[in-house]
Amino acid sequence: MPEQQKLDFAVIGSQKCASTWIYDCLKDHPKLNLRNSKNEDFYYGGTVYKQKGNDWYFSQFSKKENLPKGCVSVDYIEDAATPGLLYALNPEIKRIV
């Protein structure tokens, strides 16, 4: 059975606090794998995720293998359920606020 997809880190941003700039910097890093888009509607645990599922969510990442996967969203700070979901996915996840 293949290992479940997981996030290695999540940037928990806030509105107007440079989260898009942070995403752009991290996206350009050659040793990181971020989602192809920072579209806020598609955050892990959000409505679109719940409709489309884990396989769909992780298909949004580039095909860089064996690199830490991460995401950036301002919605994480407002969604009380997300920290638990992130932890359940990977108890060792790095959370950057």
Side-chain angles (χ1 to χ4, degrees):
M1 182 169 169
E3 183 179 335
Q4 180 183 5
Q5 295 273 15
K6 65 179 182 176
L7 292 171
D8 297 293
F9 66 93
V11 177
I12 302 166
S14 184
Q15 294 289 337
K16 303 299 178 195
C17 289
S19 59
T20 298
W21 178 79
I22 292 169
Y23 168 83
D24 290 340
C25 291
L26 294 173
K27 180 80 173 138
D28 288 340
H29 195 289
K31 293 189 178 183
L32 296 176
N33 187 353
L34 272 72
R35 287 190 41 241
N36 294 324
S37 166
K38 187 189 159 275
N39 187 324
E40 299 297 346
D41 298 331
F42 300 152
Y43 70 98
Y44 186 82
T47 304
V48 176
Y49 169 82
K50 289 174 184 170
Q51 292 170 353
K52 297 188 177 191
N54 213 49
D55 289 340
W56 169 83
Y57 181 81
F58 284 102
S59 75
Q60 304 300 305
F61 286 81
S62 68
K63 301 302 179 202
K64 297 177 187 177
E65 296 296 324
N66 301 318
L67 294 177
K69 285 187 176 84
C71 60
V72 178
S73 179
V74 300
D75 288 305
Y76 291 141
I77 206 159
E78 296 180 11
D79 185 343
T82 298
L85 291 172
L86 292 170
Y87 181 81
L89 182 68
N90 178 7
E92 297 179 9
I93 191 171
K94 307 296 185 260
R95 293 166 301 264
I96 303 156
V97 181

